[in-house]
Amino acid sequence: MTFHPRALAPLLIAAAMSLGLPTAGGQQSSVSAQFTAPVTMDLPDYLRPATDPAFGTVFTRITKPGVLGNGIACGEKYCSHRYSSAQAWNADQSLLVITNGCNGMCFFDGQTYAPLFRRNRSDQCEWHPRNADLMICVQDRKISTWAPRTNREDVLFVATNYNELRFGPSKGNPSRDGDRIAVRAIRADGAMVVFAYDLNQRRKFPDIDLAQLAGNNSACTISPLGTNILCFQDLSDGTEQRGIFAVDGTLRQRWTEHHRPGHGDLTIDEDGSEVYVGISKADPDKYQVIKRRLSDGKVTSLMKFGEAEHASLRALGRPSWAFLSYGGNPDEISANPDWAPYAREVIALRIDGSGEVRRIVQTRNAPFDYWSETHASPSPDGSQVIWSSNWGVPGGPVHEFVARLDWAEESGSKQKEIVANDPH
């Protein structure tokens, strides 16, 4: 009797469990991995936990088109978290925010995913990484902290010589302690500038004129330690370059290679260095997942050529793991054994260069448009991962899912918490 790979995978998982062997997903780490064919699965019911038949990971669909309750409603086309490098959960994971396709900023229980309340805000807000009650918000001329539950806002800074203040836009995060952010703005003389702002000290750092970099700026963000600002520049020839400044305005690095890397996120490496992890689109590591050190631009390849689309380092409690969203055509991936063997999957990759991987879930997400991209992003402790999928229907509704991970075996010496000295 011959089994089709789609039928065989669940049988192998069941056999492993019956023998007491670890299954994949949140249960197993592996340095070497083989291509796993997509396993057919019906769209899970809303708020009903399901098990991925390929990797044994438990996950839940947390949105659906229409009214969800408590004033929250999802659009017919998509309803999802903002982006892979944006944190969806607050610091203690009691709240989860959905913004794309929802009727406002929609807040859910961070553990049960029940809809709780919504708020109407037009500014850019990101969770404070340590204070679970607060978000950090930037709009037009002001910087503030805001408590979504109580709707209380405390204004920290009002600009008199600037307008169009932006938190990023879109790709901005606070420093890991929540004290500093990078703010892009238009100065009164018309110059586009970026500056660091310390929320705790209510201190604005010097303007950095972005005209000194080639191209047009698309976003800037503060580094995890709050000492550097990374800026993204778009050139007319389609090249995407990077510039790294110290918060005092000193230009430290120019990365002139196209998108090397991009679609990524910042973290602190095991040696205390700040690194940007993402996908390269330039030689010599084109379409590989790489990390690049902010201090000197040193590049380390982390995963071979493949279809990785986005990297997230939002699991601040597990800075040595990058969470990767893979797209691609499974037939093409299986036909190229020298490529990274992941197609339409979410995986976690250890960034120490060992190649150690935790396969989390098959997304069953058919390529269509930006809103249907997977954009996986972990919770602060890495125990949950949020991701999007149209469930194999191009142009169909994009649903939001959360997978649960078990990191019990990582509690030993292999998992090291990075404790950096206070850079301020």
Side-chain angles (χ1 to χ4, degrees):
M1 180 181 296
T2 301
F3 288 95
H4 190 279
R6 294 185 180 183
L8 186 59
L11 298 178
L12 293 175
I13 292 171
M17 294 177 66
S18 69
L19 294 173
L21 300 175
T23 56
Q27 312 301 321
Q28 182 182 11
S29 296
S30 173
V31 174
S32 61
Q34 302 296 321
F35 172 76
T36 299
V39 183
T40 301
M41 183 182 185
D42 291 336
L43 176 67
D45 292 335
Y46 172 64
L47 291 185
R48 293 290 298 272
T51 300
D52 181 82
F55 304 131
T57 307
V58 175
F59 69 101
T60 304
R61 177 160 69 104
I62 68 169
T63 67
K64 64 178 181 178
V67 176
L68 301 185
N70 288 325
I72 292 177
C74 283
E76 294 296 318
K77 294 183 178 180
Y78 55 87
C79 195
S80 60
H81 64 292
R82 192 176 64 74
Y83 189 59
S84 53
S85 62
Q87 179 55 261
W89 282 268
N90 64 344
D92 66 5
Q93 299 177 204
S94 60
L95 287 178
L96 169 69
V97 65
I98 298 290
T99 56
N100 299 333
C102 209
N103 60 335
M105 294 186 72
C106 299
F107 292 88
F108 297 72
D109 187 289
Q111 301 296 322
T112 69
Y113 320 122
L116 298 179
F117 60 92
R118 71 180 178 94
R119 301 284 186 237
N120 288 321
R121 291 188 69 98
S122 58
D123 47 353
Q124 298 169 296
C125 299
E126 300 292 342
W127 287 114
H128 192 290
R130 292 189 176 177
N131 189 329
D133 294 330
L134 297 181
M135 301 190 87
I136 302 167
C137 302
V138 178
Q139 181 183 34
D140 194 24
R141 294 179 180 270
K142 70 178 181 180
I143 301 170
S144 62
T145 58
W146 171 58
R149 288 187 188 272
T150 63
N151 209 21
R152 175 177 173 174
E153 183 174 19
D154 292 319
V155 177
L156 306 179
F157 174 78
V158 177
T160 57
N161 199 38
Y162 309 85
N163 57 47
E164 297 184 32
L165 270 62
R166 296 289 183 267
F167 196 170
S170 300
K171 294 182 180 180
N173 277 308
S175 57
R176 199 174 66 166
D177 58 12
D179 284 353
R180 294 181 180 180
I181 62 174
V183 179
R184 199 187 72 180
I186 304 299
R187 202 167 52 200
D189 63 3
M192 179 177 285
V193 300
V194 65
F195 56 84
Y197 184 80
D198 191 300
L199 286 74
N200 187 41
Q201 300 177 3
R202 301 198 178 194
R203 174 191 175 194
K204 177 189 171 298
F205 284 76
D207 290 351
I208 302 170
D209 192 339
L210 291 171
Q212 62 188 291
L213 296 177
N216 298 315
N217 180 265
S218 60
C220 292
T221 186
I222 202 80
S223 66
L225 295 178
T227 55
N228 295 295
I229 295 175
L230 171 66
C231 290
F232 304 83
Q233 300 292 122
D234 296 333
L235 277 64
S236 58
D237 63 359
T239 302
E240 295 180 22
Q241 299 185 4
R242 313 288 181 243
I244 297 98
F245 298 92
V247 292
D248 67 2
T250 303
L251 180 60
R252 290 183 165 173
Q253 286 282 303
R254 292 179 190 262
W255 298 348
T256 58
E257 310 97 322
H258 174 50
H259 208 281
R260 190 172 184 247
H263 295 306
D265 202 356
L266 290 158
T267 190
I268 302 171
D269 217 341
E270 290 187 344
D271 63 359
S273 300
E274 295 178 311
V275 293
Y276 183 48
V277 180
I279 295 89
S280 173
K281 292 186 180 179
D283 292 330
D285 38 42
K286 193 171 184 178
Y287 299 119
Q288 297 177 29
V289 178
I290 65 173
K291 67 178 177 183
R292 194 162 189 177
R293 199 157 56 194
L294 297 193
S295 62
D296 58 7
K298 179 184 177 182
V299 172
T300 303
S301 179
L302 303 177
M303 178 60 68
K304 59 186 177 180
F305 183 102
E307 295 288 347
E309 295 179 335
H310 294 277
S312 179
L313 279 297
R314 290 302 90 201
L316 302 182
R318 297 187 179 277
S320 57
W321 290 90
F323 290 74
L324 303 176
S325 304
Y326 272 83
N329 183 323
D331 292 336
E332 182 181 22
I333 303 302
S334 65
N336 289 276
D338 292 334
W339 294 9
Y342 312 110
R344 301 179 189 176
E345 286 187 36
V346 176
I347 70 169
L349 170 67
R350 190 184 284 274
I351 67 168
D352 62 357
S354 66
E356 185 176 353
V357 165
R358 299 171 67 87
R359 302 181 83 159
I360 298 171
V361 71
Q362 291 187 336
T363 66
R364 300 165 182 83
N365 191 29
F368 183 69
D369 61 9
Y370 172 82
W371 298 109
S372 63
E373 292 179 4
T374 297
H375 290 163
S377 182
S379 62
D381 68 357
S383 66
Q384 303 182 79
V385 185
I386 194 166
W387 48 281
S388 308
S389 174
N390 56 25
W391 214 254
V393 182
V398 177
H399 312 276
E400 194 79 331
F401 303 84
V402 174
R404 293 272 187 170
L405 299 184
D406 179 8
W407 292 88
E409 70 273 26
E410 288 292 319
S411 60
S413 60
K414 288 179 66 179
Q415 178 59 41
K416 299 178 181 178
E417 179 83 16
I418 304 299
V419 181
N421 293 326
D422 184 351
H424 304 164

